[in-house]
Amino acid sequence: MDEAELNRLAHAAAGGDRRALERLLAAVTPVMVRYCRARTGGRPVGLQTPEDIAQEIGMAICTALPRYRLGDTPFMAFAYGIAGNKVADAFRAAGRDRSSPTDTIPESADPGADPEHIVVSDDLFARARVLIERLAPQHREILVLRIALQFSAEETARIIGSTPGAVRVAQHRALNRLRSWADELGG
């Protein structure tokens, strides 16, 4: 669904059109799930899976829609603003929760990766997350949209309210900072 159609549906849904709301959520939900998976590394954050966070985003969009004004900002920029906040909320909540629940008790050992591989992978993921969290929020958002979600510079610019050139420059600077920080840690 193109940006103009999403904006039209959002405007209609904000006015109380239930059918428009259903179509809007059906179009946006898969994108929000991908966004959450990209921001969380596809892993649960505390007790919330990326899909749970995406559901929270959908509910927050429904609640915030009456405040959406067509022409002020593209709907997807509005939605990504909400999504960024909900992902941050999930990480804050997970930081306070130290439990480690499981759905089932395994019958046998995991035939997958060995414990050493799991620890090394988790360590690399944690190091990457620490470096990414050091970036300015806008740079983090650009990297998620451009690299994880594979949006074009033009699409990313529309979402964050910038220009494609500025997005490319910010992405380049963010990646250079990450490389520099990674070199400092490795050297």
Side-chain angles (χ1 to χ4, degrees):
M1 193 174 290
D2 69 0
E3 183 178 339
E5 178 67 7
L6 286 172
N7 291 340
R8 188 191 67 71
L9 284 172
H11 182 66
D17 183 338
R18 189 147 183 85
R19 177 80 175 120
L21 177 62
E22 289 172 5
R23 290 187 59 214
L24 181 68
L25 290 176
V28 171
T29 298
V31 176
M32 291 299 125
V33 170
R34 282 196 340 251
Y35 175 82
C36 292
R37 286 179 182 156
R39 290 289 306 271
T40 65
R43 298 175 178 186
V45 176
L47 297 176
Q48 291 187 299
T49 66
E51 292 78 10
D52 294 333
I53 300 168
Q55 185 175 9
E56 292 283 332
I57 293 167
M59 291 188 302
I61 287 172
C62 290
T63 302
L65 262 176
R67 294 189 309 272
Y68 175 72
R69 299 289 173 249
L70 185 62
D72 287 352
T73 186
F75 173 73
M76 286 308 291
F78 177 77
Y80 278 114
I82 291 170
N85 289 333
K86 288 298 178 184
V87 169
D89 290 347
F91 277 108
R92 274 193 295 276
R96 292 186 300 265
D97 182 11
R98 299 291 177 207
S99 64
S100 183
T102 181
D103 289 338
T104 59
I105 298 174
E107 294 292 326
S108 61
D110 183 1
D114 60 82
E116 180 182 2
H117 178 77
I118 292 169
V119 169
V120 170
S121 294
D122 286 350
D123 182 56
L124 289 174
F125 181 77
R127 288 180 191 206
R129 175 163 291 295
V130 166
L131 293 179
I132 290 169
E133 291 299 324
R134 286 176 62 184
L135 290 171
Q138 186 167 7
H139 285 172
R140 271 195 313 268
E141 199 70 16
I142 287 170
L143 290 183
V144 166
L145 294 170
R146 291 281 288 140
I147 296 170
L149 297 177
Q150 299 180 342
F151 285 169
S152 69
E154 291 75 18
E155 292 168 322
T156 302
R158 278 194 304 274
I159 289 167
I160 66 168
S162 187
T163 65
V167 165
R168 287 185 192 96
V169 168
Q171 178 183 349
H172 178 75
R173 288 180 179 163
L175 290 173
N176 281 341
R177 279 192 188 109
L178 289 175
R179 280 187 203 100
S180 172
W181 294 335
D183 289 345
E184 288 173 11
L185 291 176

